[in-house]
Amino acid sequence: MREIVIGGAQMGAIQTAESREAVVARMIVLLDQAAKAGCDLVVFPELALTTFFPRWWMEDPAEVASWYEVEMPNAATAPLFNRARQHGTAITFGYAEQTPEGRKFNTSILTDRSGQIVGKYRKVHLPGHSDYDPDRAFQHLEKRYFEPGDLGFPVWRNLDAWMGMCICNDRRWPEVYREMGLQGVELITLGYNTPSVNSQDSAEGLEQRLYHSDLSMTAGAYQNAAWVVGVAKAGVEDGHPLIGGSIIVDPNGYVVARAAGEGDELIVHGCDMDLCTFGKTTIFDFARHRRTEHYSRITAQTGVVLPE
Ligand code: ING
């Protein structure tokens, strides 16, 4: 039994005015709690170091730049990496990355137990829009502030298991799970910042947002016989509500742990990576069952092409 005790470290709201240092202190409290609970790996949310700044229209380059990290670890996050190393706990968290060339990505990193970064992922599916949209109740400007990820969907060997990452909107796209499933992934971790209401349809509220979040992750887990851990940044940030609903999903698609609230909250489950084997060698034995000769549209087309 290859058990990994996984902690989902859901975080409550981060207000615009909150400093990186104050946020890292909250993350360390959750990390200590996770270590006490015996966690081998702790999963933090998307953009875990700051408020969800893509909700704001900004034109001042200095203000925009203030939301990004130009190196990782850095002064503000070193205490988190050091504490993780002291605990012997691997961590993953998301942040806004600015590369030395000035490119900007919605990024997440994965460490081993010694606090070394062993994996980096850059969010591929950027939702929302790039120009100010006056028709929306609030903005969602990830296409303005980030480039689509350029690293694909890598899978790494860590903690004696095959692990991959995605971020937020990625969880809604089946291709994401399958790209990692075809690499034998056994655990997919992801963070999300999901508004509680639809900026384009005020009738779509919390219940449907939570349902679609669960649906996306449970389907991805089941259809690729992998564990999925999805962790929210939740709560009300400067008046804008984000859903909670952090979950740990087993390779049969069952939710085995779920956050109850919308604040800083740890969920924990002992995840046996060998539970992936049955699905991968029977119903989802890709080599025996897939018929790739019929799948060409999935990569040949971006949008819909109606039949003649
Ligand atoms: N947030 C949301 C998400 O994909 C969204 C945006 C919500 C898109 C609901 C579509 C439907 O969960 C981020 N950050 O991607």
Side-chain angles (χ1 to χ4, degrees):
M1 176 165 108
R2 286 179 296 135
E3 182 180 73
I4 300 177
V5 182
I6 300 179
Q10 175 176 292
M11 294 171 69
I14 299 176
Q15 307 309 326
T16 309
E18 198 162 344
S19 70
R20 303 283 203 286
E21 289 75 11
V23 173
V24 167
R26 288 170 51 188
M27 296 172 78
I28 288 174
V29 167
L30 287 162
L31 177 59
D32 287 347
Q33 198 183 332
K36 194 180 290 178
C39 291
D40 301 302
L41 170 66
V42 179
V43 181
F44 290 102
E46 170 191 32
L47 295 176
L49 303 177
T50 65
T51 194
F52 185 71
F53 66 87
R55 70 167 66 91
W56 303 116
W57 174 261
M58 292 176 275
E59 291 177 329
D60 172 5
E63 183 184 6
V64 174
S66 73
W67 297 110
Y68 296 80
E69 315 301 328
V70 295
E71 58 184 357
M72 190 56 70
N74 56 27
T77 55
L80 178 70
F81 283 82
N82 293 339
R83 183 63 63 87
R85 186 179 64 255
Q86 287 161 7
H87 286 315
T89 304
I91 61 173
T92 173
F93 66 88
Y95 64 95
E97 174 193 13
Q98 177 169 315
T99 72
E101 304 74 38
R103 301 180 66 194
K104 297 183 171 78
F105 297 100
N106 187 338
T107 296
S108 65
I109 53 95
L110 171 68
T111 77
D112 61 17
R113 289 181 188 281
S114 72
Q116 290 302 311
I117 293 176
V118 296
K120 176 188 275 192
Y121 170 72
R122 289 167 172 165
K123 185 176 183 178
V124 167
H125 297 91
L126 300 171
H129 49 108
S130 49
D131 297 317
Y132 188 84
D133 182 346
D135 298 331
R136 286 173 181 250
F138 52 87
Q139 305 300 297
H140 196 114
L141 293 158
E142 291 190 64
K143 294 182 193 293
R144 173 181 174 80
Y145 295 122
F146 303 119
E147 286 181 50
D150 59 350
L151 302 174
F153 300 101
V155 168
W156 303 276
R157 190 80 182 171
N158 193 34
L159 307 185
D160 194 24
W162 292 112
M163 292 183 193
M165 291 185 278
C166 68
I167 298 175
C168 202
N169 194 257
D170 286 323
R171 75 188 186 286
R172 302 178 190 279
W173 301 94
E175 296 89 340
V176 169
Y177 301 92
R178 188 50 47 89
E179 271 289 319
M180 291 187 268
L182 288 165
Q183 298 175 73
V185 79
E186 296 169 312
L187 167 64
I188 297 173
T189 63
L190 66 98
Y192 60 87
N193 287 223
T194 300
S196 301
V197 293
N198 186 325
S199 62
Q200 298 173 292
D201 171 8
S202 54
E204 179 186 331
L206 186 58
E207 190 271 335
Q208 181 165 312
R209 306 291 265 194
L210 285 166
Y211 170 64
H212 285 166
S213 187
D214 281 6
L215 179 64
S216 301
M217 291 190 274
T218 52
Y222 165 64
Q223 291 169 348
N224 294 278
W227 291 87
V228 173
V229 180
V231 177
K233 166 109 79 47
V236 182
E237 296 191 332
D238 297 294
H240 294 273
L242 297 168
I243 69 170
S246 304
I247 52 175
I248 298 174
V249 189
D250 79 9
N252 284 306
Y254 289 104
V255 175
V256 294
R258 184 190 299 275
E262 295 189 344
D264 290 9
E265 178 180 346
L266 183 73
I267 55 176
V268 178
H269 189 79
C271 304
D272 176 9
M273 294 298 121
D274 290 338
L275 274 183
C276 302
T277 306
F278 184 73
K280 290 182 187 295
T281 57
T282 56
I283 183 169
F284 293 115
D285 180 344
F286 294 151
R288 276 198 319 122
H289 299 307
R290 295 181 71 241
R291 303 301 314 177
T292 54
E293 66 271 25
H294 297 297
Y295 302 164
S296 62
R297 288 189 183 81
I298 291 174
T299 54
Q301 288 177 217
T302 299
V304 169
V305 175
L306 293 175
E308 292 298 317

